[in-house]
Amino acid sequence: MHRSAPRLSRILACAAVPVMLVVAGCSSDSGDTKESGSSESSPSASASKKAEPTVEPAKFAALPDPCKSITKKTVASLVPSAKSKNGTATGSSDTAYRAGCSWNGLDDNGVKGSQYRWLDIGLTRFDSDQALGSGAKRAQQDFDKQVAKAKASEGAKKVAEAPVAGIGEQATKVTYDLSKTGEDFKYATVVTRTENVVITLTYNGAGYAGAKTPSSDDILKGAEKAAREAVAAVTGTGADKPSGATPPSGKASDDKPTDDKSSDDKSKDSKSTDDKPKDDKSTEKKTSAHKASVKKTS
């Protein structure tokens, strides 16, 4: 009887070992589950991201008719005897973003010679784009490019640049002299920006067959007057308001202007044809002969 008691104690001790191991195992599993649960409850990465800022929508969603952006009265005063009083529109793949018009004419004054004038306007509009910036910012960049291009005109002499007040939100005038077809031309280019639209206006003139060369001041005043009217047409405060306007949109378009290359080429083509006097009927032999030589030179 005394020997069986110790033996029974050893049996009970061995039988308890598996129970302890099971409890330990369950305790370990419970810890793993808790850690997994705490990981799942952490805030998601997407919730911590900040929303990207949106660009300001472009103010103007359309351009006015460039050939109507300058009043007929002003055209008549700046370009007497214009070959086309309604102007000649510049070719464009999308006039909602880029448009232009020009006028030129040779005013025959008989024995007093002839006066030649050329007026050109170019309009470029920019939409707002999330990647490229607001329409106004993109127009600012193009404004700087147009001023630099005017200053770099081939053959230009006595080039001068200065800001102009009271035309659009910002404006710069570039004046210079240029000799061609045997005569001295006076040039004035006014580049102005109003919101997301850039206006480039060029006016020049020369005297033929002994006529006096126009003054730089007169050419500049004419350019500034026409530029003011063009700004009024863009903003809708002029005689001709933009037609077919739609609500401003910051959405980018595949046809929107991204560089000046195409417009520069068209501008060069326009200058090569319109920026030279053409023959009109003359009452004086000397003037007629001179016009013929000008045409041949062109």
Side-chain angles (χ1 to χ4, degrees), residues 15-74:
V17 172
V19 176
M20 293 176 64
L21 291 176
V22 170
V23 172
C26 293
S27 178
S28 176
D29 291 343
S30 176
D32 291 343
T33 303
K34 186 177 182 180
E35 288 183 4
S36 175
S38 63
S39 175
E40 290 177 358
S41 63
S42 63
S44 63
S46 58
S48 63
K49 288 184 179 180
K50 295 182 179 180
E52 294 184 4
T54 57
V55 297
E56 182 182 359
K59 182 172 183 178
F60 300 114
L63 290 174
D65 182 340
C67 293
K68 294 180 180 179
S69 61
I70 302 174
T71 64
K72 291 185 177 181
K73 182 179 179 181
T74 297

Side-chain angles (χ1 to χ4, degrees), residues 79-112:
V79 190
S81 302
K83 292 189 299 181
S84 175
K85 297 185 183 300
N86 294 325
T88 302
T90 303
S92 174
S93 60
D94 192 342
T95 55
Y97 290 101
R98 185 176 280 113
C101 190
S102 64
W103 299 260
N104 72 89
L106 187 67
D107 186 22
D108 181 13
N109 296 306
V111 295
K112 295 182 180 180

